[in-house]
């Protein structure tokens, strides 16, 4: 899969990189004093699994401000990953419409 160079989640730009691992599909590193935020995806995964892993890590990024327990967060992330990937897979016309509408430069208040 051709991964994007960056992903912006809630105004935070995450660099997307690859790594090789026999144990991890992906991981996210949040901003700290030493490191800018980035997402790593295992380059050994097939394209579908890389896409699912990227979606999974994006959901983690979106939930980060909530500050819940890691176990509970992972449960929620897995459920959202499954549901959202199913919506994306089964509704390609909806996704194209959302991209068109959400990237439009028209004033949302007028519409």
């Amino acid at each position: 899969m051709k991964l994007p160079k960056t992903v912006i989640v809630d105004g935070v730009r995450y660099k997307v990189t690859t790594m090789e691992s026999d144990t991890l599909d992906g991981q996210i590193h949040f901003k700290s004093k030493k490191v800018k935020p980035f997402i790593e995806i295992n380059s050994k995964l097939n394209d579908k699994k890389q896409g699912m892993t990227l979606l999974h890590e994006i959901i983690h990024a979106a939930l980060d401000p909530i500050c819940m327990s890691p176990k509970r967060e992972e449960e929620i992330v897995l459920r959202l990953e499954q549901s959202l990937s199913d919506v994306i897979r089964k509704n390609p016309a909806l996704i194209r419409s959302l991209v068109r509408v959400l990237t439009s430069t028209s004033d949302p208040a007028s519409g």
Side-chain angles (χ1 to χ4, degrees), residues 16-70:
V16 179
T17 63
T18 58
M19 50 86 169
E20 287 191 13
S21 174
D22 292 327
T23 57
L24 291 174
D25 288 346
Q27 57 187 344
I28 189 166
H29 299 272
F30 297 102
K31 189 175 183 180
S32 69
K33 291 181 180 181
K34 296 180 181 180
V35 173
K36 292 185 178 184
F38 66 96
I39 295 171
E40 289 183 307
I41 305 296
N42 191 340
S43 60
K44 292 182 176 182
L45 301 175
N46 65 40
D47 286 356
K48 182 176 181 179
K49 187 65 175 167
Q50 282 188 5
M52 294 288 290
T53 302
L54 181 57
L55 177 61
H56 180 98
E57 300 306 335
I58 289 168
I59 296 168
H60 272 297
L63 292 177
D64 181 56
I66 297 173
C67 299
M68 64 184 82
S69 75

Side-chain angles (χ1 to χ4, degrees), residues 52 55 80-90:
M52 294 288 290
L55 177 61
L80 286 171
E81 173 195 332
Q82 292 167 358
S83 295
L84 289 172
S85 63
D86 191 53
V87 168
I88 292 166
R89 191 173 28 258
K90 293 180 178 174

Side-chain angles (χ1 to χ4, degrees), residues 14 33 40 45 59 62 70 73 75-76 79 93-94 103 105:
Y14 292 83
K33 291 181 180 181
E40 289 183 307
L45 301 175
I59 296 168
E73 181 177 321
E75 291 170 354
I76 292 169
R79 181 67 186 121
L94 168 65
T103 59
T105 56

